[in-house]
Amino acid sequence: MSEPATLSAEEADQLARMRYRRALARKKRKEREAASEVKELNITAMMDMMTIILVFLLKSFASSSAAITASEDVRPPVSSARASPKDTVAITITPKNILVGDKEVVRLENGHIPKAQLQGERLVLGLDAQLKKEVAKLKYIEERNPAAPFTHELSVIADKMVPYDLLLTVLYTAGVNELQNYRFIVLQRDAE
């Protein structure tokens, strides 16, 4: 049998420090490995989530993109037309006001445009200003995204009792702002 070598106090202390450093390094390495390691990856739950998102997106793209603001003031005429509305600049004409999108641009007085809002015979100032902004926005989008061209289309949502002269004035103002293609939104008659 060999006798164990005796170490001096300084060597023993140095050996203990070295063992402590190794143990500490080993512990840190295990912690790093455990942190980067994924314990349980549940692919089934992820696939369910992606399927739900995909179905939601497909459903939202399949539905009509034209939004019509429901109002008590507007009762569009009834038609048997089957065409679906497109997403365009929308002007709503009620007996009380004219709106572009959801924003009121002109308040009517007794169903007529106030003289202060008219320039010449047919140009409506408030409507003209708002349509300029909408057209500028559509042209900006067209510059950035060639897949979304500016189509010069306008959707008109008008009450069936709106006078022809008022409708003509609104269409003139739209035409001045490069919106020459008009679509009139109507209620679809029930199939009998």
Side-chain angles (χ1 to χ4, degrees), residues 7 11-13 23 30 37 46 49 58 76 111 127 130 147 159 162 173 177-178 184 188 192:
L7 298 174
E11 290 174 334
D13 189 39
K30 285 183 181 180
E37 187 177 297
M46 289 173 131
M49 179 183 67
L58 288 174
L127 179 60
Q130 187 62 32
D159 187 81
V162 168
T173 305
N177 288 288
E178 302 179 48
F184 293 98
Q188 194 172 40
E192 293 176 17

Side-chain angles (χ1 to χ4, degrees), residues 13-30:
D13 189 39
Q14 199 174 26
L15 184 63
R17 282 188 203 155
M18 192 169 65
R19 286 181 183 159
Y20 176 74
R21 282 190 212 124
R22 284 183 186 162
L24 189 62
R26 199 172 27 252
K27 181 181 176 188
K28 285 183 181 179
R29 186 174 57 246
K30 285 183 181 180

Side-chain angles (χ1 to χ4, degrees), residues 93-163:
I93 307 169
T94 71
K96 296 178 184 175
N97 51 25
I98 299 173
L99 299 104
V100 174
D102 291 334
K103 185 177 180 185
E104 180 183 303
V105 291
V106 176
R107 182 165 295 278
L108 301 176
E109 295 174 356
N110 298 324
H112 299 293
I113 299 170
K115 295 285 185 197
Q117 281 289 322
L118 285 173
Q119 180 180 352
E121 289 288 318
R122 299 258 182 228
L123 188 68
V124 183
L125 297 175
L127 179 60
D128 181 55
Q130 187 62 32
L131 288 178
K132 282 188 188 330
K133 290 178 187 175
E134 293 291 325
V135 168
K137 180 174 70 173
L138 291 173
K139 286 182 177 180
Y140 178 79
I141 291 170
E142 180 184 40
E143 287 175 10
R144 302 290 188 264
N145 183 6
F150 175 45
T151 59
H152 304 275
E153 290 185 3
L154 171 73
S155 294
V156 179
I157 307 161
D159 187 81
K160 60 185 171 184
M161 300 308 288
V162 168

Side-chain angles (χ1 to χ4, degrees), residues 60-86:
S60 66
F61 282 123
S63 65
S64 174
S65 61
I68 299 174
T69 307
S71 172
E72 296 173 8
D73 296 340
V74 180
R75 289 182 300 269
V78 178
S79 173
S80 60
R82 297 282 179 209
S84 59
K86 291 185 177 181

